[in-house]
Amino acid sequence: NLVPIIAIDGPSASGKGSVAQRVAEAMGFHFLDSGALYRLTALAAGRRGINWDDEVGVAGVAVALDVVFEGEHVLLDGAEVAHAIRSEDIGVGASRVAALPAVRAALLERQRAFARMPGLVADGRDMGSVVFPDAALKVFLTASAEVRAERRYKQLAERGEEADLTAIADDLRARDERDRARAVAPLVQLPDARLLDTSKLGIDEAVAQVLAWWSEVR
Ligand code: C5P
């Protein structure tokens, strides 16, 4: 695989989505928000009346997912869902369907198809471990539990969603626990991943660090 790939993995609300997107912009690379695919799968399954624990049913939805990413827009079956997939409810659904091996298998090739020249920045939980194990640069991007809860709280408040800091902290803990404990593609810090703790870093500094690492490895 000759396409240069930067894999950025880490827990929820660590800021990796914003960092990954900004790195992709700075380099002129494509961007994969793999979490969005799990969110879309959860949303599409819900709309079709398929239970999030129904592995065969949800995997069928994942294989057939009709989705278009266009800048800020996300179209599911031709309709805008960019806002709908960001709700806490769909986040929980995403982490439930993401624990099902058949669902992960169903989304694997779709994710790999994002690897196109001049390069890709991929954001998720298993970008460096499963989807792009040969990535030239792997980053494990995290932040303390308190900082992550505050970031998610701000995100929700900015969107005008009701938010309760304690409930958010509990929800993040439960989701991370599920992501780390699952049998397939658990969230792990790989030995070959560079650790980027953004608890005390602004987004510009975090982006600059990834770009500096990239110039070391390329
Ligand atoms: O990153 P985001 O919060 O949008 O992801 C939603 C959920 O999808 C995560 O909590 C995780 O369970 C799952 N996910 C995953 N593997 C990825 C990306 C996301 O299991 N590569």
Side-chain angles (χ1 to χ4, degrees):
N1 194 347
L2 296 171
V3 179
I5 294 174
I6 300 179
I8 304 185
D9 291 302
S12 305
S14 53
K16 68 188 161 32
S18 322
V19 172
Q21 202 163 358
R22 292 266 302 268
V23 170
E25 275 165 25
M27 317 236 321
F29 279 14
H30 299 283
F31 172 58
L32 166 62
D33 172 4
S34 61
L37 292 173
Y38 291 96
R39 289 171 179 271
L40 285 157
T41 300
L43 179 66
R47 287 183 173 177
R48 287 165 178 68
I50 294 168
N51 194 286
W52 285 334
D53 299 322
D54 172 357
E55 180 162 12
V56 172
V58 178
V61 170
V63 168
L65 213 54
D66 171 9
V67 55
V68 177
F69 294 100
E70 238 173 42
E72 298 290 289
H73 301 285
V74 184
L75 306 180
L76 175 64
D77 300 322
E80 181 69 71
V81 294
H83 184 80
I85 58 168
R86 293 295 147 201
S87 74
E88 276 304 281
D89 183 45
I90 292 301
V92 171
S95 88
R96 297 251 304 268
V97 303
L100 308 172
V103 173
R104 305 199 71 86
L107 292 176
L108 190 58
E109 286 313 314
R110 195 185 284 265
Q111 294 173 82
R112 289 187 176 152
F114 279 79
R116 282 178 285 121
M117 291 305 244
L120 175 71
V121 181
D123 152 25
R125 305 294 186 290
D126 63 340
M127 298 299 96
S129 59
V130 175
V131 183
F132 303 112
D134 298 330
L137 174 63
K138 300 180 185 181
V139 176
F140 189 81
L141 196 155
T142 189
S144 71
E146 295 74 25
V147 168
R148 293 190 293 114
E150 276 164 25
R151 284 182 185 160
R152 178 55 53 84
Y153 179 84
K154 274 191 201 152
Q155 269 179 3
L156 292 173
E158 276 165 16
R159 265 185 251 133
E161 278 187 49
E162 235 179 89
D164 171 79
L165 196 54
T166 315
I168 289 169
D170 289 347
D171 177 59
L172 282 179
R173 199 174 308 118
R175 199 185 308 179
D176 289 342
E177 188 49 41
R178 195 157 40 227
D179 288 346
R180 288 178 193 277
R182 70 184 172 214
V184 280
L187 173 66
V188 287
Q189 187 190 336
L190 298 167
D192 58 346
R194 300 179 192 228
L195 176 65
L196 183 51
D197 184 338
T198 65
S199 301
K200 289 172 184 155
L201 288 187
I203 181 162
D204 291 336
E205 295 162 299
V207 170
Q209 177 60 263
V210 177
L211 294 176
W213 281 334
W214 180 250
S215 62
E216 276 175 33
V217 302
R218 63 193 292 193

